[in-house]
Amino acid sequence: MSKKLKIGVIGLGRIGQIHLSNLMHHIPGVEVVIASDLSPESHAFAKNLGVEEVTTDAYDVINHPDVEAVIICSPTPFHVPYTVAAANQKKHVFCEKPLDVTLDAIYAAQKAVSENGVKLMLGFNRRFDANFTNVRNIVADDKIGDPQILRITSRDPGPPPIEYLKTSGGIFLDMSIHDFDMARYIVGSEVTEIFVKGDALINPEIKEFGDIDTAVIVLTFENGAIGVIDNSRKAVYGYDQRLEIFGSKGMAKAENNTADNLVHFDSNGGNISLPLHFFLERYETAYRVCLKSFVNCVLNDTPSPVDAHDGLMATAIGIAAMKSLQEGRPVKLEEVISHTLV
Amino acid sequence: MSKKLKIGVIGLGRIGQIHLSNLMHHIPGVEVVIASDLSPESHAFAKNLGVEEVTTDAYDVINHPDVEAVIICSPTPFHVPYTVAAANQKKHVFCEKPLDVTLDAIYAAQKAVSENGVKLMLGFNRRFDANFTNVRNIVADDKIGDPQILRITSRDPGPPPIEYLKTSGGIFLDMSIHDFDMARYIVGSEVTEIFVKGDALINPEIKEFGDIDTAVIVLTFENGAIGVIDNSRKAVYGYDQRLEIFGSKGMAKAENNTADNLVHFDSNGGNISLPLHFFLERYETAYRVCLKSFVNCVLNDTPSPVDAHDGLMATAIGIAAMKSLQEGRPVKLEEVISHTLV
Amino acid sequence: MSKKLKIGVIGLGRIGQIHLSNLMHHIPGVEVVIASDLSPESHAFAKNLGVEEVTTDAYDVINHPDVEAVIICSPTPFHVPYTVAAANQKKHVFCEKPLDVTLDAIYAAQKAVSENGVKLMLGFNRRFDANFTNVRNIVADDKIGDPQILRITSRDPGPPPIEYLKTSGGIFLDMSIHDFDMARYIVGSEVTEIFVKGDALINPEIKEFGDIDTAVIVLTFENGAIGVIDNSRKAVYGYDQRLEIFGSKGMAKAENNTADNLVHFDSNGGNISLPLHFFLERYETAYRVCLKSFVNCVLNDTPSPVDAHDGLMATAIGIAAMKSLQEGRPVKLEEVISHTLV
Amino acid sequence: MSKKLKIGVIGLGRIGQIHLSNLMHHIPGVEVVIASDLSPESHAFAKNLGVEEVTTDAYDVINHPDVEAVIICSPTPFHVPYTVAAANQKKHVFCEKPLDVTLDAIYAAQKAVSENGVKLMLGFNRRFDANFTNVRNIVADDKIGDPQILRITSRDPGPPPIEYLKTSGGIFLDMSIHDFDMARYIVGSEVTEIFVKGDALINPEIKEFGDIDTAVIVLTFENGAIGVIDNSRKAVYGYDQRLEIFGSKGMAKAENNTADNLVHFDSNGGNISLPLHFFLERYETAYRVCLKSFVNCVLNDTPSPVDAHDGLMATAIGIAAMKSLQEGRPVKLEEVISHTLV
């Protein structure tokens, strides 16, 4: 692999900076040619890491003659426009989730990617966490037999500011979307129906703009399995990311990661460590492995491990979830999705 | 407590024998006067334990002049008739779950008990398991704050024979009813709505008579909390009985009990013990504590810890669960229950 | 097994009462004919459990014509005299540990037992704890290969009163003796050398009469394995009873038992349960299984699972331990034991 | 911290490469000026990471005018010569363990360091593992009270080649030395006496040159605590690195780290993950934190967290351990160490 993949990064917010650091330090076989962001601080950050060229214009990245692949970390509304533009320039695309909050935009992105014969990979980084990858392997190896019940617990340590929430697209497309992707990944089958029970138990204010902060979500899968996700925007003890898959031959579960494996006993009881604080800590390695997978799929011309269809389904499940919440009934995926990608 | 409570036992099947053994060996302050059952083997069992009088007629127990309290372990259809007859004889009643599968019968039992001023306690033994009692105490002590999400996993090691299932009243009244009671007990609030997603994933035959063997059940509580129960008739690794309650101040969970606390590592991995096999092993102590609670509430004239209202609600939730499964929609408890007990 | 074994119990202190309760309630196939103790309260205790005859004279038990087996729970100095007297009366003997604190007395007991062809079993109850029995089985099944390192942690929740300690025979014969027996049981090989490092770190007063309360003990086994025991008279978090055996193919370890399997997380951390408080709680079942083993070995005429040789070795190791502590050097067992039992 | 610390690296074997990678990628505030090693592959490795100058002569590093601090990763016999030479050039020194296998050499190094007013830090990386750092903090915060018993388990996944072992200096100076340092670090007190029981249970061949592969080591501390280390060169289930400290107020323990937190149950039992394979995986982060600590202590002119005295004591304990093994008796540290460093 002597040839290096030439990469351009669009957007240097929190996630963009993580991806850029990983590209510069931890991922062999790549060269970051250019990065774009509006803020001067981000430019300094990139320069300091050794990126030679910075710009405020994303199209400078997309159109850069040396760039072979772009990493899109811009706000969600720009995901599809940049993906389409990059694909039309024959650039491979790694795009943060969600690809878009409407299905039509996702179809458009997929069309551009497909017609131009480039790779598109979505940043569902949790699939690359060792715990979840290994649970998936256990399922794929038939060690639990036919999947019957899936349980995902996904709780944040605290809600984002209310101003953010107002424009976030709602809990399903902002937060649960990771769990929707995880559910499909672990079970290995498509979701056909969803039922949501949710409420604003942490901050009732957010109900005013139609959002919730606590949810229990029931998923039905094509293969007969039934799944349940519980979401909360605020677990005071930290980021709670566990799952369990139960089947005809057994059960596999992944517990939280902690900073250490200590137990301290005194006369009052035993004390164990809290989960790692939030996604930056918990998924630090997963971000790296995720991006490395993209680089490898481009360099080796193998299929994208998380493609446009995966982005479509995650968004579609999110849309159906909102419909279920609003109408108080189970919603079939076919109600919100007329056709799937080819 | 020098006076002994004189007890009669009706029904010496599996549970009746457990209760009788506990009464004879482990519960001070009682004297078993008489026991009834149709089978001669059961009579020998009782005699061998030291019970002086045995009979085939339950009414010999109910009407026995010395008997102050009866323990009803007969098949479900006899629960209410015996309860009413015993109450009318001013006898206190401990009755196995469910009190009945119809709400009208439960109202009738409650009326008799109430008019005669006797105690009625239902055998929801799991409330007396150390794990669940302690979780309840943590919730009651406000250590997790306002309950927001409840998760119950309740899976049997294997299904009963299909002949039994045909007359069992269905998974909700036969198996999940314990979880419905547990849900109300742990959260400390009434269930107002239920949604069920279920299927016959283990043995499709049972669908023919309208039953299922795998279910995910969403409960909404009066206090705003949302609960989810997952049930399976067959966990190949044993009896899986766990729960978790999540709230504004923290989370408490109870893991399975095992026969030992061993870890064995070899070059292939680490091996830990399976959960205790089934309810007889897991709830051995709980059965004892449960019955002792009944004896104490009678001797000390304190309220029954699990009363007719608890029986009514568990059955009502079960009926609503079946309605939800059949109609594919969330069902409000008020649809199946017109009035509650006083 | 229609014939019942007729038993007499000598000594109704704490352990005697546990054994008597188990005999009356939990062990089929036995009949307690008579029990002896000096205190009237003990007599009432026995009567209340249903023992027909009580006495203040141990020889009434030993000489009782119906008694076939005696359970000796008297203070240690009486263990051997009663064992010898009972053996001479052709009675089988179950005796609490230690059989004696001198080797000569143990030889005498063994001689009487052997000449009269009766069974002698010692109350090393921990061998019958599910954790330790299962670890032993793992070793015996060659699942860890050749044993190389044994680790025993054995710590009491608090020291007995200093008055008791003065006459206890010292930490090795009073407390560590259980661990010496456990070490031989788990490794399945004889101890050949011992080295002790100890101190009075909890209560320096006990040094005045030559005792210690904290010890680290190194054992060398005939099969080459090396063992280490750590003892403390005071673990503020409760009774700490763990062990681990490491070998050429793997490792097995037994963790503490707890009253429940709860985890409670709040913003300060996770809280787990303390170990069961002390030996009565931890070894409740083991006491029962231990005594049942004695009854079975008598009724089925099988070898005693814990015989005079086991008693001899445990005491000999204790004597060598004291010598090592006093002389500050490793002591070979052959220095304190001239010959073993046949 | 705008000024960068200019560093030279001596020795690019396994550990040297780890340090160099960390310096180049993960430690801000440093610039690697030059690196030395005999092998051309190592030069390519360094060049590839971005080191501008490479050499085969360690003195090119030590004497390089820009170098302010050297990282010594050469074979042990060169540790002291290079340390002395660097100190005389007024360069700060980070040196791999052990500083030397003789105490006189260590005194010489300490003298040079002290007279030249430079920093010397030893690479006892385990002190910087999150588990052990946090246990130390628990002890330092008096949360376990007065330390009474220390237990360290330290077992390698497999022995090095016998050719390596022949020149390794023996198990105590090659392997246990990490545990000797850890013991002093955790307890916070000096070792005064040592007793070793050991054998060649894995490969009897190594006995021929006076070495062993299995050891139980008893340490006595100045503050009265007693410690025990168990070492094995071969744990088939992986790298086993645990410790436990017990005191008057409680106990703290660190369990192994694993690659994931999975549990997989099937009908045969529950399966958990093995410990991380070996020190490169287990101490990956610790190596980084360790080196960062050195850089910080130089840049901020704070005391070295692991200084020459620590190196002296670890080696002295190792020498006493060998004496104890050979003479079969406890050895006081004062027998092998006439004076300590100032």
Side-chain angles (χ1 to χ4, degrees):
Chain A
M1 222 189 286
S2 62
K3 183 188 160 302
K4 291 208 168 189
L5 181 66
K6 294 200 174 58
I7 284 181
V9 176
I10 298 172
L12 293 172
R14 194 161 51 174
I15 295 299
Q17 294 193 1
I18 289 172
H19 287 326
L20 185 58
S21 297
N22 279 325
L23 288 168
M24 300 306 287
H25 285 156
H26 298 293
I27 300 181
V30 301
E31 184 188 331
V32 179
V33 175
I34 181 170
S36 75
D37 197 272
L38 293 178
S39 94
E41 291 79 13
S42 297
H43 291 188
F45 176 87
K47 285 275 181 192
N48 198 42
L49 276 173
V51 179
E52 307 236 329
E53 197 174 346
V54 292
T55 174
T56 54
D57 185 351
Y59 289 95
D60 289 347
V61 175
I62 291 167
N63 298 323
H64 194 293
D66 291 348
V67 164
E68 297 165 292
V70 297
I71 312 292
I72 303 176
C73 311
S74 60
T76 302
F78 298 95
H79 285 179
V80 166
Y82 291 164
T83 297
V84 170
N88 288 338
Q89 295 288 327
K90 309 291 182 202
K91 312 289 170 84
H92 302 288
V93 177
F94 177 96
C95 183
E96 268 308 306
K97 65 95 215 170
L99 186 45
D100 197 84
V101 297
T102 70
L103 302 186
D104 282 345
I106 296 175
Y107 288 127
Q110 161 63 8
K111 188 159 169 285
V113 162
S114 171
E115 287 176 357
N116 288 291
V118 295
K119 311 275 183 195
L120 169 64
M121 177 168 164
L122 297 179
F124 282 116
N125 58 294
R126 293 186 196 172
R127 289 190 180 207
F128 301 89
D129 172 80
N131 289 291
F132 303 138
T133 303
N134 290 345
V135 171
R136 173 59 199 156
N137 290 341
I138 285 172
V139 176
D141 293 351
D142 196 33
K143 286 188 184 163
I144 63 135
D146 299 326
Q148 295 172 341
I149 298 172
L150 168 76
R151 272 188 7 182
I152 295 179
T153 286
S154 176
R155 304 168 187 157
D156 283 356
I162 196 145
E163 288 313 309
Y164 170 86
L165 287 177
K166 279 179 183 165
T167 62
S168 73
I171 191 171
F172 303 120
L173 291 173
D174 178 57
M175 177 179 166
S176 318
I177 194 168
H178 272 296
D179 306 309
F180 298 149
D181 183 65
M182 184 58 66
R184 294 177 60 246
Y185 173 63
I186 294 292
V187 176
S189 176
E190 294 295 354
V191 170
T192 56
E193 189 193 282
I194 188 167
F195 173 75
V196 174
K197 193 77 208 179
D199 207 340
L201 299 180
I202 296 155
N203 184 356
E205 274 184 65
I206 68 168
K207 261 183 156 165
E208 289 167 23
F209 45 92
D211 206 358
I212 57 173
D213 51 30
T214 305
V216 166
I217 301 168
V218 179
L219 302 171
T220 310
F221 295 86
E222 215 165 77
N223 66 0
I226 308 170
V228 61
I229 298 166
D230 69 89
N231 285 143
S232 169
R233 285 282 195 185
K234 187 175 179 186
V236 297
Y237 54 88
Y239 195 44
D240 196 348
Q241 298 277 299
R242 291 170 286 157
L243 65 77
E244 174 175 328
I245 177 85
F246 170 86
S248 55
K249 288 189 190 168
M251 179 263 276
K253 60 176 176 171
E255 299 290 336
N256 282 312
N257 288 357
T258 51
D260 57 46
N261 293 308
L262 293 197
V263 190
H264 170 220
F265 283 97
D266 60 21
S267 54
N268 296 316
N271 309 284
I272 59 175
S273 303
L274 288 177
L276 289 175
H277 177 60
F278 209 173
F279 64 99
L280 295 183
E281 294 83 9
R282 167 64 188 258
Y283 294 118
E284 184 185 359
T285 304
Y287 278 115
R288 197 173 303 165
V289 179
C290 178
L291 205 49
K292 204 176 284 186
S293 296
F294 171 66
V295 170
N296 287 341
C297 93
V298 173
L299 288 176
N300 304 326
D301 193 17
T302 51
S304 164
V306 194
D307 62 15
H309 174 69
D310 294 312
L312 179 83
M313 292 309 295
T315 296
I317 298 170
I319 291 168
M322 181 53 79
K323 199 173 174 67
S324 172
L325 180 71
Q326 287 166 345
E327 304 181 7
R329 64 174 181 90
V331 170
K332 294 211 180 300
L333 261 285
E334 62 192 27
E335 296 183 45
V336 301
I337 189 173
S338 48
H339 61 290
T340 52
L341 301 174
V342 244
Chain B
M1 221 190 285
S2 63
K3 183 187 159 304
K4 292 208 167 188
L5 180 67
K6 293 197 175 58
I7 284 180
V9 176
I10 299 172
L12 293 172
R14 194 162 50 175
I15 296 298
Q17 294 192 2
I18 288 172
H19 287 324
L20 184 60
S21 296
N22 278 325
L23 288 167
M24 300 307 287
H25 284 157
H26 297 293
I27 301 180
V30 301
E31 185 189 331
V32 178
V33 175
I34 181 170
S36 76
D37 197 273
L38 293 178
S39 94
E41 291 78 12
S42 297
H43 290 191
F45 176 88
K47 285 275 181 192
N48 197 42
L49 276 174
V51 179
E52 307 235 329
E53 197 175 345
V54 292
T55 174
T56 54
D57 185 352
Y59 288 96
D60 289 346
V61 176
I62 292 167
N63 297 323
H64 193 292
D66 292 347
V67 165
E68 297 165 293
V70 297
I71 311 293
I72 303 176
C73 311
S74 60
T76 302
F78 298 94
H79 286 180
V80 167
Y82 292 164
T83 296
V84 170
N88 287 338
Q89 295 287 328
K90 309 291 183 203
K91 311 291 169 81
H92 302 288
V93 176
F94 176 96
C95 183
E96 268 308 305
K97 65 93 216 171
L99 188 43
D100 198 84
V101 298
T102 71
L103 302 185
D104 283 345
I106 296 175
Y107 288 127
Q110 161 62 7
K111 188 160 170 286
V113 162
S114 170
E115 286 177 359
N116 288 291
V118 295
K119 311 277 182 194
L120 170 65
M121 176 166 165
L122 296 179
F124 281 117
N125 56 296
R126 294 187 196 172
R127 289 191 180 206
F128 302 89
D129 172 80
N131 288 292
F132 303 138
T133 303
N134 289 344
V135 171
R136 172 59 199 157
N137 289 341
I138 284 172
V139 176
D141 293 352
D142 196 34
K143 286 187 182 162
I144 62 134
D146 298 328
Q148 295 172 341
I149 298 172
L150 168 75
R151 272 188 7 184
I152 296 179
T153 286
S154 177
R155 303 168 188 158
D156 283 357
I162 197 144
E163 288 312 311
Y164 170 85
L165 287 177
K166 279 180 184 164
T167 62
S168 73
I171 192 172
F172 303 120
L173 291 173
D174 178 55
M175 177 179 165
S176 319
I177 194 167
H178 272 295
D179 307 308
F180 298 150
D181 184 65
M182 184 57 65
R184 294 177 59 246
Y185 173 64
I186 293 292
V187 176
S189 176
E190 293 296 355
V191 170
T192 58
E193 191 192 282
I194 188 167
F195 174 75
V196 174
K197 194 77 207 179
D199 208 339
L201 300 180
I202 297 156
N203 184 355
E205 275 184 64
I206 68 168
K207 261 184 157 166
E208 288 166 25
F209 46 92
D211 206 357
I212 57 173
D213 51 31
T214 305
V216 166
I217 301 167
V218 179
L219 303 171
T220 310
F221 295 87
E222 215 166 76
N223 66 0
I226 308 169
V228 60
I229 298 167
D230 69 88
N231 285 142
S232 170
R233 286 282 196 186
K234 186 173 180 186
V236 297
Y237 54 89
Y239 194 44
D240 196 347
Q241 298 276 300
R242 292 170 286 156
L243 64 77
E244 174 175 328
I245 177 87
F246 170 86
S248 55
K249 289 187 190 171
M251 179 264 275
K253 61 177 176 171
E255 298 290 337
N256 282 312
N257 288 357
T258 50
D260 56 47
N261 293 308
L262 294 197
V263 189
H264 170 220
F265 282 98
D266 60 21
S267 53
N268 296 316
N271 308 285
I272 58 175
S273 302
L274 289 177
L276 289 174
H277 177 61
F278 209 172
F279 63 97
L280 295 183
E281 294 83 8
R282 166 64 188 257
Y283 294 120
E284 184 185 358
T285 305
Y287 278 114
R288 198 174 300 165
V289 180
C290 178
L291 205 49
K292 205 177 282 186
S293 297
F294 171 67
V295 170
N296 287 341
C297 93
V298 172
L299 288 175
N300 304 325
D301 194 16
T302 52
S304 164
V306 194
D307 62 14
H309 173 69
D310 294 312
L312 179 82
M313 291 308 295
T315 296
I317 298 170
I319 292 168
M322 182 51 81
K323 200 174 175 66
S324 172
L325 180 70
Q326 287 166 344
E327 304 181 7
R329 63 172 182 92
V331 170
K332 293 210 181 301
L333 261 285
E334 62 192 29
E335 296 183 44
V336 302
I337 189 172
S338 49
H339 61 290
T340 52
L341 302 173
V342 245
Chain C
M1 221 190 285
S2 63
K3 185 188 160 300
K4 292 206 167 190
L5 182 67
K6 293 198 174 61
I7 283 180
V9 176
I10 299 173
L12 293 172
R14 193 161 52 174
I15 296 299
Q17 294 193 1
I18 288 173
H19 287 325
L20 185 58
S21 297
N22 278 325
L23 289 167
M24 301 305 288
H25 285 157
H26 297 292
I27 301 180
V30 301
E31 183 188 334
V32 179
V33 174
I34 181 170
S36 75
D37 197 90
L38 293 178
S39 93
E41 291 78 14
S42 297
H43 290 189
F45 175 88
K47 284 275 181 192
N48 197 42
L49 276 174
V51 179
E52 307 236 329
E53 196 174 347
V54 291
T55 173
T56 55
D57 185 351
Y59 288 95
D60 288 347
V61 175
I62 292 166
N63 297 323
H64 193 293
D66 291 347
V67 164
E68 297 166 293
V70 298
I71 312 293
I72 303 177
C73 312
S74 60
T76 302
F78 298 95
H79 286 178
V80 166
Y82 291 163
T83 296
V84 170
N88 288 339
Q89 294 288 327
K90 308 291 183 201
K91 312 290 170 84
H92 302 288
V93 177
F94 177 96
C95 183
E96 268 308 305
K97 64 93 218 171
L99 186 44
D100 198 84
V101 298
T102 71
L103 301 185
D104 282 346
I106 295 174
Y107 289 127
Q110 161 63 8
K111 188 160 170 286
V113 162
S114 170
E115 287 177 359
N116 287 290
V118 295
K119 311 275 183 195
L120 170 64
M121 176 168 165
L122 296 178
F124 281 118
N125 57 295
R126 293 186 197 174
R127 289 190 180 207
F128 302 90
D129 172 80
N131 288 292
F132 303 138
T133 303
N134 289 344
V135 171
R136 173 59 199 155
N137 290 342
I138 284 172
V139 176
D141 293 351
D142 196 33
K143 286 188 184 162
I144 63 134
D146 297 328
Q148 295 171 342
I149 298 172
L150 168 75
R151 274 189 5 183
I152 295 178
T153 286
S154 176
R155 304 168 187 157
D156 283 357
I162 198 144
E163 287 313 309
Y164 170 86
L165 287 176
K166 279 180 183 165
T167 62
S168 72
I171 191 171
F172 304 120
L173 291 172
D174 178 55
M175 177 178 166
S176 319
I177 194 168
H178 273 294
D179 307 309
F180 298 150
D181 183 65
M182 183 58 65
R184 295 178 59 248
Y185 173 63
I186 294 291
V187 177
S189 175
E190 292 296 354
V191 170
T192 58
E193 190 192 282
I194 188 166
F195 174 75
V196 174
K197 195 76 207 180
D199 207 340
L201 299 180
I202 297 155
N203 184 355
E205 274 184 65
I206 68 169
K207 261 183 157 164
E208 289 167 24
F209 46 91
D211 205 358
I212 57 173
D213 51 31
T214 305
V216 166
I217 302 167
V218 179
L219 303 171
T220 310
F221 294 87
E222 215 165 77
N223 66 1
I226 308 169
V228 61
I229 299 166
D230 69 89
N231 285 142
S232 170
R233 285 283 196 184
K234 186 175 180 185
V236 297
Y237 54 89
Y239 195 45
D240 196 349
Q241 298 277 298
R242 289 170 289 156
L243 64 77
E244 174 175 328
I245 178 85
F246 169 87
S248 55
K249 289 189 192 169
M251 179 264 275
K253 59 177 176 170
E255 298 291 337
N256 282 311
N257 288 357
T258 50
D260 56 47
N261 293 310
L262 293 197
V263 189
H264 170 219
F265 283 97
D266 60 21
S267 53
N268 296 315
N271 308 285
I272 57 174
S273 304
L274 289 177
L276 289 174
H277 178 61
F278 209 173
F279 63 98
L280 295 183
E281 293 84 9
R282 167 66 188 257
Y283 295 120
E284 184 186 359
T285 304
Y287 278 115
R288 197 173 301 164
V289 179
C290 178
L291 204 50
K292 205 177 282 186
S293 295
F294 171 66
V295 170
N296 287 341
C297 94
V298 172
L299 288 176
N300 304 326
D301 194 17
T302 52
S304 164
V306 194
D307 63 14
H309 174 68
D310 295 312
L312 179 83
M313 291 309 296
T315 296
I317 298 170
I319 291 168
M322 182 53 80
K323 199 173 175 69
S324 173
L325 179 71
Q326 288 166 344
E327 303 182 7
R329 64 173 182 92
V331 170
K332 294 210 180 302
L333 261 284
E334 63 192 27
E335 295 183 45
V336 302
I337 189 173
S338 50
H339 61 291
T340 52
L341 302 174
V342 246
Chain D
M1 220 189 286
S2 62
K3 183 188 160 301
K4 293 208 167 190
L5 182 67
K6 293 198 173 59
I7 283 180
V9 176
I10 298 173
L12 294 172
R14 194 161 49 175
I15 296 297
Q17 294 193 0
I18 289 172
H19 288 324
L20 185 58
S21 297
N22 279 324
L23 288 167
M24 300 306 286
H25 285 157
H26 298 292
I27 301 181
V30 301
E31 184 188 332
V32 178
V33 174
I34 182 172
S36 75
D37 197 90
L38 292 178
S39 94
E41 290 78 13
S42 297
H43 290 190
F45 176 87
K47 285 276 181 189
N48 198 41
L49 276 173
V51 178
E52 308 235 330
E53 198 174 347
V54 291
T55 174
T56 55
D57 185 351
Y59 288 96
D60 288 347
V61 176
I62 292 167
N63 297 323
H64 193 293
D66 291 346
V67 165
E68 297 166 292
V70 298
I71 311 293
I72 304 177
C73 312
S74 60
T76 303
F78 299 95
H79 285 180
V80 166
Y82 292 163
T83 297
V84 170
N88 287 339
Q89 295 287 328
K90 308 292 184 201
K91 312 289 169 83
H92 303 288
V93 177
F94 176 96
C95 183
E96 268 308 305
K97 65 93 215 171
L99 188 43
D100 198 85
V101 298
T102 72
L103 301 186
D104 283 345
I106 295 174
Y107 289 127
Q110 161 63 7
K111 188 160 169 286
V113 162
S114 170
E115 287 177 358
N116 288 290
V118 295
K119 311 275 182 195
L120 170 63
M121 177 167 164
L122 297 178
F124 281 118
N125 56 294
R126 293 187 196 173
R127 289 190 180 207
F128 301 91
D129 172 80
N131 288 292
F132 303 138
T133 303
N134 288 345
V135 170
R136 173 58 198 155
N137 290 342
I138 285 173
V139 176
D141 293 351
D142 196 34
K143 286 188 183 163
I144 63 134
D146 298 328
Q148 295 172 340
I149 298 173
L150 168 75
R151 272 188 7 181
I152 295 179
T153 286
S154 177
R155 303 168 187 157
D156 283 357
I162 197 142
E163 287 313 310
Y164 169 87
L165 287 176
K166 278 181 181 163
T167 62
S168 73
I171 192 171
F172 304 121
L173 290 173
D174 178 56
M175 177 178 166
S176 319
I177 193 167
H178 272 294
D179 306 309
F180 297 150
D181 183 65
M182 184 58 65
R184 293 177 59 248
Y185 172 64
I186 293 291
V187 176
S189 175
E190 293 296 354
V191 170
T192 58
E193 190 191 284
I194 188 167
F195 173 75
V196 174
K197 194 76 207 180
D199 209 338
L201 298 181
I202 296 155
N203 184 356
E205 274 184 65
I206 69 169
K207 261 183 156 166
E208 287 166 25
F209 45 92
D211 205 357
I212 57 173
D213 51 31
T214 306
V216 166
I217 302 167
V218 179
L219 303 170
T220 311
F221 295 87
E222 216 166 77
N223 66 0
I226 308 168
V228 61
I229 298 166
D230 69 89
N231 285 143
S232 170
R233 286 282 195 185
K234 187 175 179 185
V236 296
Y237 54 89
Y239 195 44
D240 196 348
Q241 298 276 300
R242 290 170 288 155
L243 65 77
E244 173 176 328
I245 178 84
F246 170 85
S248 55
K249 289 188 189 170
M251 178 264 275
K253 61 176 175 170
E255 298 290 337
N256 282 312
N257 288 357
T258 51
D260 56 47
N261 293 307
L262 294 196
V263 190
H264 170 219
F265 282 98
D266 60 21
S267 54
N268 297 316
N271 309 284
I272 58 174
S273 303
L274 289 177
L276 289 175
H277 177 62
F278 208 173
F279 63 98
L280 295 183
E281 293 83 9
R282 167 63 189 258
Y283 294 120
E284 183 185 359
T285 304
Y287 278 114
R288 198 174 300 165
V289 180
C290 178
L291 205 49
K292 205 177 282 185
S293 296
F294 170 66
V295 170
N296 288 342
C297 94
V298 172
L299 288 176
N300 304 326
D301 194 16
T302 51
S304 164
V306 193
D307 63 13
H309 173 69
D310 294 312
L312 179 82
M313 291 309 295
T315 296
I317 298 170
I319 292 169
M322 182 51 81
K323 200 174 175 67
S324 173
L325 179 71
Q326 287 166 344
E327 302 181 8
R329 63 171 182 94
V331 170
K332 295 211 180 300
L333 262 284
E334 64 191 28
E335 295 183 46
V336 302
I337 189 172
S338 48
H339 60 291
T340 52
L341 301 174
V342 245

